[in-house]
Amino acid sequence: MMPLIGNLSDQYGRKSLLTLPMTLSIIPYAVLACSTTTNYFYAYYTLRTLTAMISEGSINCLALAYLADNISDTQRASAFGILAGISSGAFVFATLAARFLSAGSTFQVATFVSMLAVVYMRIFLEESIPDRNDGMTQPILKETEGVIQKDGDVDTRKMPVFKTIPSLKDIIRLIKSSPSFSQAAIVAFFQSLAEGGMICSIMYYLKARFHFNKNQFADLMLIAGIISTVSQLFIMPLLVSPIGDGRLLSIGLLVSCLNSILNSLAWSAWVPYAATALSIVMVFTTPSLRSIVSKQVGTTEQGKAQGCISGVTSLANIIAPLIFSPLTALFLSEEAPFHFPGFSILCIAITSMIAFIQSLTIGKTPSNSRDENCSNSMEV
């Protein structure tokens, strides 16, 4: 879904496509805002699963493409970092607010804020992809004209929208359009595989190893969120110019590997807290990677490019629990082949190291962005 949504946003505008996932994301919250009983929860879960097919990840993907449309190459990594910092700040604020709200009130507030975001976006956000002919954006369901040559004659016909949907071959061609793009996609896969593995393993590991409860988990999340917010808003913009997004990416991945190693060898309950402090550098990874990707395509392909990376990330997040959850359960049980409770976390560190080594091949990525389509990867 991410390459499809990104491709449509390249043609019809980011604002038009943002409206759909942001509106759909309101529905599940509204269900639990009405009631938190069992039947309503199952209704929420079903709707959340269905709407997530479109809304999960697409809002961030389109926001990055919107920034790429309006920010120069030299400032793009800083802008992506600031966007990530604002998201981290919102996460911290929401986590704190949830501590003072009841379950029912939490979903009511979430519904209201989601609706407010849609209204704000529709009123104040300017469209970033104007029509090249008359300055107006193309309507979503408008047919496009395609030029067909037959027996030397040129025939202009209406081409339905579904003809513009990228195929798997188109997506692969886009990824292969630039060596740096291909390398960035590999880095995104292994980095997301490690991140997804950490998410599905670390809580079970810390609970079994140090008897952590929900309050301690919440403390770790708050610490990481606060550090991430400060780092992405204030530190990363200062480092991008002298260091470059390629080196920031490698540094972030190396520190992520160190974080996993510390957690896997944790000998006391304070070690996970100390490892969380490394988030100040770890959070450089995603904005730097997205910046590198955005520089490999033209302005008319930003949606497709970010959508492809989001698709790779989603694939890794699906695979991660299939690998690391059983591994964590095995080494936390009495049937482990050898005593090493943090072995699954160490495997996550190895995955991060693979991403780090691959990131070294990207180096200082040159900017290939230009106003026209530079790779012709998804011709209509």
Side-chain angles (χ1 to χ4, degrees):
M1 292 301 297
M2 293 303 98
L4 169 60
I5 293 175
N7 186 40
L8 290 175
S9 74
D10 289 333
Q11 301 175 57
Y12 306 111
R14 317 296 182 205
K15 183 176 181 178
S16 300
L17 267 295
L18 266 172
T19 303
L20 179 61
M22 291 183 69
T23 303
L24 289 177
S25 65
I26 299 174
I27 300 175
Y29 298 133
V31 171
L32 283 185
C34 297
S35 176
T36 56
T37 59
T38 303
N39 291 334
Y40 277 86
F41 170 77
Y42 283 119
Y44 158 82
Y45 197 84
T46 302
L47 291 172
R48 180 76 178 87
T49 302
L50 295 175
T51 57
M53 295 179 186
I54 296 177
S55 61
E56 187 74 21
S58 61
I59 297 176
N60 184 61
C61 169
L62 295 174
L64 291 171
Y66 187 92
L67 279 181
D69 295 335
N70 297 278
I71 301 294
S72 64
D73 290 352
T74 56
Q75 297 179 328
R76 201 166 290 171
S78 297
F80 287 179
I82 291 173
L83 176 64
I86 293 174
S87 299
S88 299
F91 170 80
V92 171
F93 180 80
T95 304
L96 290 173
R99 288 195 169 193
F100 300 99
L101 296 173
S102 64
S105 300
T106 299
F107 289 102
Q108 291 172 357
V109 172
T111 303
F112 173 76
V113 173
S114 299
M115 295 173 63
L116 185 63
V118 175
V119 173
Y120 179 89
M121 183 269 296
R122 292 302 303 176
I123 295 176
F124 296 105
L125 190 69
E126 296 182 1
E127 186 56 84
S128 63
I129 303 294
D131 186 273
R132 293 178 176 84
N133 296 323
D134 56 12
M136 300 292 290
T137 55
Q138 301 178 29
I140 291 291
L141 298 179
K142 180 180 178 180
E143 292 181 333
T144 58
E145 289 188 352
V147 178
I148 302 174
Q149 292 186 352
K150 184 177 182 181
D151 298 330
D153 297 329
V154 177
D155 181 19
T156 301
R157 301 177 183 175
K158 293 290 185 179
M159 185 182 300
V161 172
F162 68 84
K163 291 293 185 181
T164 68
I165 296 177
S167 64
L168 179 61
K169 183 178 179 181
D170 294 328
I171 296 171
I172 295 175
R173 188 183 304 143
L174 176 61
I175 294 177
K176 291 183 177 179
S177 63
S178 164
S180 293
F181 198 129
S182 303
Q183 293 160 358
I186 296 173
V187 171
F189 177 81
F190 283 102
Q191 184 262 338
S192 299
L193 188 65
E195 184 177 337
M198 184 64 75
I199 291 173
C200 69
S201 302
I202 189 65
M203 290 188 178
Y204 295 102
Y205 167 70
L206 293 178
K207 182 177 181 179
R209 189 84 170 82
F210 303 113
H211 307 289
F212 271 34
N213 56 35
K214 61 182 180 65
N215 292 329
Q216 291 168 303
F217 290 138
D219 291 338
L220 287 175
M221 293 169 66
L222 280 174
I223 293 171
I226 293 172
I227 293 175
S228 299
T229 302
V230 174
S231 178
Q232 291 168 330
L233 286 178
F234 303 108
I235 300 178
M236 184 175 177
L238 298 176
L239 297 178
V240 168
S241 295
I243 296 180
D245 48 15
R247 291 180 180 176
L248 278 181
L249 171 63
S250 298
I251 293 171
L253 289 170
L254 181 60
V255 175
S256 296
C257 178
L258 179 60
N259 171 271
S260 299
I261 293 175
L262 284 176
N263 279 306
S264 68
L265 301 175
W267 56 91
S268 178
W270 63 265
V271 176
Y273 289 94
T276 302
L278 296 177
S279 298
I280 195 170
V281 179
M282 292 164 54
V283 293
F284 295 161
T285 302
T286 300
S288 299
L289 179 64
R290 295 289 189 159
S291 174
I292 291 172
V293 168
S294 72
K295 295 177 183 179
Q296 306 309 308
V297 296
T299 56
T300 59
E301 289 185 315
Q302 291 296 327
K304 289 190 286 287
Q306 298 297 341
C308 286
I309 296 300
S310 295
V312 171
T313 300
S314 298
L315 177 63
N317 288 334
I318 293 173
I319 297 174
L322 302 178
I323 298 175
F324 295 108
S325 292
L327 198 61
T328 301
L330 174 62
F331 279 88
L332 291 178
S333 68
E334 297 179 354
E335 300 177 357
F338 52 88
H339 181 71
F340 191 170
F343 181 75
S344 62
I345 310 298
L346 182 63
C347 291
I348 293 171
I350 295 173
T351 305
S352 296
M353 180 57 66
I354 295 174
F356 165 71
I357 294 172
Q358 182 64 34
S359 72
L360 296 177
T361 64
I362 300 177
K364 186 177 180 181
T365 307
S367 173
N368 293 332
S369 295
R370 57 183 183 271
D371 290 339
E372 66 272 9
N373 185 327
C374 64
S375 66
N376 295 320
S377 60
M378 294 188 183
E379 294 180 355
V380 177

